Amino acid sequence: MFPQRVRLQYDASVLHQNSLIGCRVQRLPEGSTERYTRWINSLTPDQLVSQVYTSHGPTVVMPTWFCSRKLFLKVGPFDEGGKGVPEDLLLFYKILRQGGGLLRVDECLLVYRYHEKATTHSVTAETIWKLRVDFLQERVLSQCENFTIWNAGKQGRKLYRSLSQTNQRKVKAFCDVDENKIQKGFYTYEESKERPKPKVPILHYKDASGPFIICVKLDMTGGVLEENLNSLQLKEGIDYYHFN
C-alpha cells in the first residue's frame, strides 16, 4: 500500500458509508495483465456499475477494497468454501444485491502483484461463467421484453445456450459484422428439445435493435467495436451491456 491509502479511502468511506471503495493500482511486474490493469484504472464512475457483468469480474478489484463496518456487517463475511470458490465475486454480487454503491478513489494507492500461483487461478472458467450468466439474467434480462446478442460467433452462441428457456425466447436476434455469419441468416439451436428447433435471425449490427448484450471482448478490436457502438449513439447501461 502507498502511505496515503488508508487516509484517502477512509475519507471517501465517511462520505459514502454504503459503498465499496477502491482505488487505482500499479501492476507488478510492470506490464503484466496490461488490458486488465488498463480496465481497472480507466473505468468511469458509471462503468463501475454498468460493467459488473464482464469476464474481468468485480469493477472494484478486491485488493483495493475498503468499506465502512456498517456495510460489511450488513452484507456479511466472505464465503469460506475454500479452493475454487470465487469469494470476491460472490461478496461483490452480495453488495450490489443489497443496494451497495461502487466508488473508486482516482489515485494509485496500491501495488497489485501478479504471480502465477495466485489463488484466482484455482477458480474454473465455468464456475465464473455460471455466476455471471445468473447475475446477468437476474439484474438485466429479467427486466427486458427482448434483446439482441451482439456476436453470432462462439461466445454469443454460448451465452444463448446458457440462458433459461424464458430468456432464450427473448432473444430477437444475433448481430455481427462478419458477412459470412450474416449470410447464413439464422442460428439454429440444435441441442434444443423443442420442436421445431429454435431459429434466431443473424443481422448486421446496423439492422439490429437494442438492448444489446455485447459478447465481444473489450479493448481487443483496435477500437472498432467501440466506434460501432458510438455510431449507433447508444448509452451503456441502458441500450447495451458488456458481458465479455
Side-chain angles (χ1 to χ4, degrees), residues 59-73:
T59 50
V60 176
V61 297
M62 189 177 74
T64 72
W65 284 2
F66 194 107
C67 70
S68 67
R69 181 176 293 272
K70 176 183 174 183
L71 178 61
F72 180 77
L73 292 176

PDB file of all heavy atoms in Angstrom, residues 59-73:
ATOM      1  N   THR A  59     -15.653  -4.730 -10.755  1.00  0.00           N
ATOM      2  CA  THR A  59     -15.130  -3.483 -11.322  1.00  0.00           C
ATOM      3  C   THR A  59     -14.288  -2.729 -10.287  1.00  0.00           C
ATOM      4  O   THR A  59     -13.433  -1.920 -10.651  1.00  0.00           O
ATOM      5  CB  THR A  59     -16.280  -2.586 -11.798  1.00  0.00           C
ATOM      6  OG1 THR A  59     -17.246  -2.469 -10.740  1.00  0.00           O
ATOM      7  CG2 THR A  59     -16.960  -3.164 -13.021  1.00  0.00           C
ATOM      8  N   VAL A  60     -14.563  -2.967  -9.012  1.00  0.00           N
ATOM      9  CA  VAL A  60     -13.695  -2.505  -7.926  1.00  0.00           C
ATOM     10  C   VAL A  60     -12.960  -3.752  -7.445  1.00  0.00           C
ATOM     11  O   VAL A  60     -13.564  -4.630  -6.837  1.00  0.00           O
ATOM     12  CB  VAL A  60     -14.516  -1.867  -6.783  1.00  0.00           C
ATOM     13  CG1 VAL A  60     -13.615  -1.474  -5.618  1.00  0.00           C
ATOM     14  CG2 VAL A  60     -15.286  -0.657  -7.285  1.00  0.00           C
ATOM     15  N   VAL A  61     -11.682  -3.868  -7.767  1.00  0.00           N
ATOM     16  CA  VAL A  61     -10.989  -5.152  -7.579  1.00  0.00           C
ATOM     17  C   VAL A  61     -10.628  -5.385  -6.108  1.00  0.00           C
ATOM     18  O   VAL A  61     -10.290  -4.445  -5.380  1.00  0.00           O
ATOM     19  CB  VAL A  61      -9.734  -5.256  -8.475  1.00  0.00           C
ATOM     20  CG1 VAL A  61     -10.147  -5.226  -9.945  1.00  0.00           C
ATOM     21  CG2 VAL A  61      -8.730  -4.168  -8.199  1.00  0.00           C
ATOM     22  N   MET A  62     -10.689  -6.661  -5.694  1.00  0.00           N
ATOM     23  CA  MET A  62     -10.636  -6.995  -4.277  1.00  0.00           C
ATOM     24  C   MET A  62      -9.419  -6.451  -3.520  1.00  0.00           C
ATOM     25  O   MET A  62      -9.578  -5.982  -2.386  1.00  0.00           O
ATOM     26  CB  MET A  62     -10.728  -8.505  -4.065  1.00  0.00           C
ATOM     27  CG  MET A  62     -10.906  -8.877  -2.600  1.00  0.00           C
ATOM     28  SD  MET A  62     -11.095 -10.640  -2.300  1.00  0.00           S
ATOM     29  CE  MET A  62      -9.434 -11.239  -2.535  1.00  0.00           C
ATOM     30  N   PRO A  63      -8.200  -6.480  -4.079  1.00  0.00           N
ATOM     31  CA  PRO A  63      -7.074  -5.967  -3.281  1.00  0.00           C
ATOM     32  C   PRO A  63      -7.207  -4.494  -2.897  1.00  0.00           C
ATOM     33  O   PRO A  63      -6.540  -4.030  -1.974  1.00  0.00           O
ATOM     34  CB  PRO A  63      -5.863  -6.173  -4.212  1.00  0.00           C
ATOM     35  CG  PRO A  63      -6.277  -7.278  -5.121  1.00  0.00           C
ATOM     36  CD  PRO A  63      -7.751  -7.071  -5.347  1.00  0.00           C
ATOM     37  N   THR A  64      -8.095  -3.771  -3.591  1.00  0.00           N
ATOM     38  CA  THR A  64      -8.264  -2.339  -3.311  1.00  0.00           C
ATOM     39  C   THR A  64      -9.455  -2.061  -2.392  1.00  0.00           C
ATOM     40  O   THR A  64      -9.720  -0.911  -2.060  1.00  0.00           O
ATOM     41  CB  THR A  64      -8.479  -1.536  -4.616  1.00  0.00           C
ATOM     42  OG1 THR A  64      -9.802  -1.811  -5.148  1.00  0.00           O
ATOM     43  CG2 THR A  64      -7.437  -1.878  -5.664  1.00  0.00           C
ATOM     44  N   TRP A  65     -10.184  -3.093  -1.979  1.00  0.00           N
ATOM     45  CA  TRP A  65     -11.449  -2.873  -1.266  1.00  0.00           C
ATOM     46  C   TRP A  65     -11.267  -2.153   0.063  1.00  0.00           C
ATOM     47  O   TRP A  65     -10.354  -2.445   0.842  1.00  0.00           O
ATOM     48  CB  TRP A  65     -12.153  -4.200  -1.009  1.00  0.00           C
ATOM     49  CG  TRP A  65     -12.818  -4.769  -2.221  1.00  0.00           C
ATOM     50  CD1 TRP A  65     -12.813  -4.255  -3.491  1.00  0.00           C
ATOM     51  CD2 TRP A  65     -13.567  -5.977  -2.288  1.00  0.00           C
ATOM     52  NE1 TRP A  65     -13.513  -5.066  -4.346  1.00  0.00           N
ATOM     53  CE2 TRP A  65     -13.990  -6.140  -3.644  1.00  0.00           C
ATOM     54  CE3 TRP A  65     -13.920  -6.957  -1.358  1.00  0.00           C
ATOM     55  CZ2 TRP A  65     -14.750  -7.227  -4.051  1.00  0.00           C
ATOM     56  CZ3 TRP A  65     -14.683  -8.031  -1.769  1.00  0.00           C
ATOM     57  CH2 TRP A  65     -15.092  -8.171  -3.106  1.00  0.00           C
ATOM     58  N   PHE A  66     -12.203  -1.256   0.329  1.00  0.00           N
ATOM     59  CA  PHE A  66     -12.275  -0.521   1.588  1.00  0.00           C
ATOM     60  C   PHE A  66     -13.749  -0.178   1.781  1.00  0.00           C
ATOM     61  O   PHE A  66     -14.407   0.267   0.852  1.00  0.00           O
ATOM     62  CB  PHE A  66     -11.453   0.775   1.491  1.00  0.00           C
ATOM     63  CG  PHE A  66     -11.177   1.454   2.806  1.00  0.00           C
ATOM     64  CD1 PHE A  66      -9.909   1.424   3.370  1.00  0.00           C
ATOM     65  CD2 PHE A  66     -12.181   2.145   3.476  1.00  0.00           C
ATOM     66  CE1 PHE A  66      -9.643   2.054   4.575  1.00  0.00           C
ATOM     67  CE2 PHE A  66     -11.930   2.782   4.680  1.00  0.00           C
ATOM     68  CZ  PHE A  66     -10.656   2.741   5.239  1.00  0.00           C
ATOM     69  N   CYS A  67     -14.286  -0.422   2.960  1.00  0.00           N
ATOM     70  CA  CYS A  67     -15.691  -0.070   3.189  1.00  0.00           C
ATOM     71  C   CYS A  67     -15.934   0.171   4.670  1.00  0.00           C
ATOM     72  O   CYS A  67     -15.115  -0.196   5.527  1.00  0.00           O
ATOM     73  CB  CYS A  67     -16.640  -1.151   2.667  1.00  0.00           C
ATOM     74  SG  CYS A  67     -16.627  -2.692   3.598  1.00  0.00           S
ATOM     75  N   SER A  68     -17.058   0.765   4.980  1.00  0.00           N
ATOM     76  CA  SER A  68     -17.425   1.010   6.365  1.00  0.00           C
ATOM     77  C   SER A  68     -17.772  -0.307   7.057  1.00  0.00           C
ATOM     78  O   SER A  68     -18.198  -1.274   6.408  1.00  0.00           O
ATOM     79  CB  SER A  68     -18.641   1.940   6.429  1.00  0.00           C
ATOM     80  OG  SER A  68     -19.787   1.281   5.907  1.00  0.00           O
ATOM     81  N   ARG A  69     -17.588  -0.356   8.363  1.00  0.00           N
ATOM     82  CA  ARG A  69     -18.015  -1.523   9.128  1.00  0.00           C
ATOM     83  C   ARG A  69     -19.527  -1.740   8.961  1.00  0.00           C
ATOM     84  O   ARG A  69     -20.001  -2.869   8.924  1.00  0.00           O
ATOM     85  CB  ARG A  69     -17.653  -1.349  10.606  1.00  0.00           C
ATOM     86  CG  ARG A  69     -18.044  -2.536  11.487  1.00  0.00           C
ATOM     87  CD  ARG A  69     -17.567  -2.343  12.900  1.00  0.00           C
ATOM     88  NE  ARG A  69     -16.111  -2.381  12.975  1.00  0.00           N
ATOM     89  CZ  ARG A  69     -15.413  -3.504  13.135  1.00  0.00           C
ATOM     90  NH1 ARG A  69     -16.018  -4.671  13.208  1.00  0.00           N
ATOM     91  NH2 ARG A  69     -14.094  -3.451  13.220  1.00  0.00           N
ATOM     92  N   LYS A  70     -20.253  -0.632   8.850  1.00  0.00           N
ATOM     93  CA  LYS A  70     -21.706  -0.709   8.666  1.00  0.00           C
ATOM     94  C   LYS A  70     -22.059  -1.545   7.440  1.00  0.00           C
ATOM     95  O   LYS A  70     -22.940  -2.416   7.490  1.00  0.00           O
ATOM     96  CB  LYS A  70     -22.262   0.717   8.535  1.00  0.00           C
ATOM     97  CG  LYS A  70     -23.749   0.803   8.246  1.00  0.00           C
ATOM     98  CD  LYS A  70     -24.156   2.273   8.057  1.00  0.00           C
ATOM     99  CE  LYS A  70     -25.607   2.382   7.615  1.00  0.00           C
ATOM    100  NZ  LYS A  70     -25.988   3.803   7.370  1.00  0.00           N
ATOM    101  N   LEU A  71     -21.382  -1.288   6.314  1.00  0.00           N
ATOM    102  CA  LEU A  71     -21.653  -2.043   5.087  1.00  0.00           C
ATOM    103  C   LEU A  71     -21.225  -3.495   5.238  1.00  0.00           C
ATOM    104  O   LEU A  71     -21.956  -4.412   4.842  1.00  0.00           O
ATOM    105  CB  LEU A  71     -20.937  -1.401   3.893  1.00  0.00           C
ATOM    106  CG  LEU A  71     -21.097  -2.124   2.552  1.00  0.00           C
ATOM    107  CD1 LEU A  71     -22.570  -2.176   2.128  1.00  0.00           C
ATOM    108  CD2 LEU A  71     -20.265  -1.460   1.459  1.00  0.00           C
ATOM    109  N   PHE A  72     -20.059  -3.719   5.832  1.00  0.00           N
ATOM    110  CA  PHE A  72     -19.562  -5.087   5.987  1.00  0.00           C
ATOM    111  C   PHE A  72     -20.508  -5.930   6.832  1.00  0.00           C
ATOM    112  O   PHE A  72     -20.816  -7.079   6.508  1.00  0.00           O
ATOM    113  CB  PHE A  72     -18.161  -5.078   6.609  1.00  0.00           C
ATOM    114  CG  PHE A  72     -17.579  -6.457   6.791  1.00  0.00           C
ATOM    115  CD1 PHE A  72     -17.060  -7.153   5.710  1.00  0.00           C
ATOM    116  CD2 PHE A  72     -17.587  -7.070   8.038  1.00  0.00           C
ATOM    117  CE1 PHE A  72     -16.534  -8.431   5.875  1.00  0.00           C
ATOM    118  CE2 PHE A  72     -17.062  -8.346   8.204  1.00  0.00           C
ATOM    119  CZ  PHE A  72     -16.541  -9.022   7.124  1.00  0.00           C
ATOM    120  N   LEU A  73     -21.002  -5.376   7.944  1.00  0.00           N
ATOM    121  CA  LEU A  73     -21.916  -6.112   8.818  1.00  0.00           C
ATOM    122  C   LEU A  73     -23.260  -6.360   8.140  1.00  0.00           C
ATOM    123  O   LEU A  73     -23.911  -7.382   8.373  1.00  0.00           O
ATOM    124  CB  LEU A  73     -22.115  -5.358  10.134  1.00  0.00           C
ATOM    125  CG  LEU A  73     -20.879  -5.280  11.044  1.00  0.00           C
ATOM    126  CD1 LEU A  73     -21.163  -4.425  12.271  1.00  0.00           C
ATOM    127  CD2 LEU A  73     -20.412  -6.676  11.455  1.00  0.00           C
TER     128      LEU A  73
END
